């Protein structure tokens, strides 16, 4: 595991490889398991309708991701600068502020989504055929918003400290768990799209 001090002493090219390659792998795995998620859902008897329902939930999930990046990924560079200045206390304060904002943001978004999910889904082109499936998916996803935001938001601080391999492993664990749990909840427990959402939340 790379220590933060090595960021100041190691060769730039070597650092670039050690930090970039795990990050790239993590992003590729992230994309891959999202694709697998949709492949499973597409195999349902109502696969076409289920995929349409998922598409109308995407703007809400994107909103969650945006706030995650604002509070988590947005704060990580500031912490990195403070670490570079040797101001560890200020870096820790920045990280704690991000953590608190992720918690509060996750709680507020959960309440908003649960209260206004149907108007939001209709606004994002849901119809009578997709509203029930979209609502069942986003309800479960919303209940896990805090876990998703903390997982993704705080992962940036792992990378900031130079532990890109550890950051990659956190993504891999979630992705592998999701791929394993998807068919169990979707098909074996006959939960459909709700099972896909539950698998994602448990994995996070």
């Amino acid at each position: 595991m790379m220590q933060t001090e090595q960021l100041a002493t190691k060769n730039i090219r070597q650092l670039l490889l050690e930090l970039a390659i795990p990050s790239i792998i993590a992003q590729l795995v992230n994309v891959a398991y999202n694709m697998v998620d949709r492949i499973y859902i597409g195999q349902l008897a109502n696969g076409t309708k289920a995929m349409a329902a998922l598409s109308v939930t995407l703007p809400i999930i994107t909103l969650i991701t945006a706030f995650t990046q604002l509070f988590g990924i947005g704060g990580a560079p500031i912490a990195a600068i403070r670490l570079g200045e040797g101001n560890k206390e200020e870096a820790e304060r920045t990280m704690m502020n991000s953590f608190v904002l992720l918690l509060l943001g996750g709680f507020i978004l959960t309440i908003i989504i649960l209260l206004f999910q149907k108007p939001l889904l209709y606004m994002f082109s849901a119809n009578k055929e997709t509203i029930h499936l979209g609502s069942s998916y986003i309800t479960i996803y919303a209940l896990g918003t805090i876990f998703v935001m903390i997982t993704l938001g705080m992962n940036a601080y792992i990378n900031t400290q130079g532990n890109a391999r550890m950051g990659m492993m956190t993504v891999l664990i979630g992705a592998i768990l999701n791929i394993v749990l998807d068919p169990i909840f979707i098909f074996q427990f006959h939960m459909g799209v709700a099972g896909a959402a539950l698998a994602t939340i448990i994995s996070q």
Side-chain angles (χ1 to χ4, degrees):
M1 186 181 297
M2 187 185 301
Q3 302 299 317
T4 54
E5 290 79 8
Q6 292 180 291
L7 295 174
T9 58
K10 275 199 172 184
N11 179 274
I12 296 296
R13 291 182 180 178
Q14 186 179 355
L15 277 175
L16 185 62
L17 291 174
E18 290 182 5
L19 296 176
I21 291 176
S23 298
I24 292 170
I25 292 173
Q27 291 301 316
L28 290 174
V29 169
N30 210 16
V31 171
Y33 97 74
N34 281 321
M35 290 174 59
V36 171
D37 206 34
R38 281 148 182 76
I39 289 171
Y40 284 136
I41 292 171
Q43 300 303 311
L44 292 167
N46 61 345
T48 302
K49 190 185 296 184
M51 291 297 290
L54 278 185
S55 69
V56 299
T57 66
L58 185 59
I60 298 176
I61 295 171
T62 302
L63 179 68
I64 294 170
T65 304
F67 277 99
T68 302
Q69 292 181 340
L70 172 65
F71 299 141
I73 298 173
I78 298 174
I81 292 170
R82 298 296 172 260
L83 283 174
E85 294 171 347
N87 192 343
K88 185 179 178 182
E89 184 178 341
E90 190 62 31
E92 289 176 348
R93 185 179 293 112
T94 301
M95 184 173 71
M96 181 55 66
N97 287 339
S98 285
F99 182 74
V100 172
L101 286 171
L102 286 166
L103 278 177
L104 290 175
F107 178 75
I108 293 170
L109 285 173
T110 298
I111 298 301
I112 291 172
I113 293 169
L114 290 177
L115 290 177
F116 303 106
Q117 58 176 283
K118 287 193 175 180
L120 286 170
L121 290 172
Y122 277 122
M123 186 173 68
F124 297 130
S125 303
N127 54 38
K128 291 180 179 179
E129 293 186 349
T130 59
I131 189 66
H132 175 68
L133 290 173
S135 180
S136 64
Y137 183 90
I138 205 63
T139 296
I140 294 176
Y141 194 94
L143 291 172
T145 295
I146 290 176
F147 302 111
V148 172
M149 290 184 68
I150 290 175
T151 300
L152 299 179
M154 298 308 292
N155 187 270
Y157 285 93
I158 298 176
N159 294 329
T160 292
Q161 296 175 70
N163 297 322
R165 289 184 183 179
M166 179 66 72
M168 177 187 71
M169 289 305 298
T170 63
V171 174
L172 284 174
I173 291 169
I176 293 169
L177 278 174
N178 193 67
I179 291 170
V180 171
L181 292 176
D182 258 342
I184 295 174
F185 288 116
I186 293 173
F187 302 115
Q188 190 169 340
F189 293 161
H190 306 289
M191 294 180 66
V193 294
L198 185 58
T200 299
I201 297 311
I202 291 174
S203 299
Q204 295 298 339

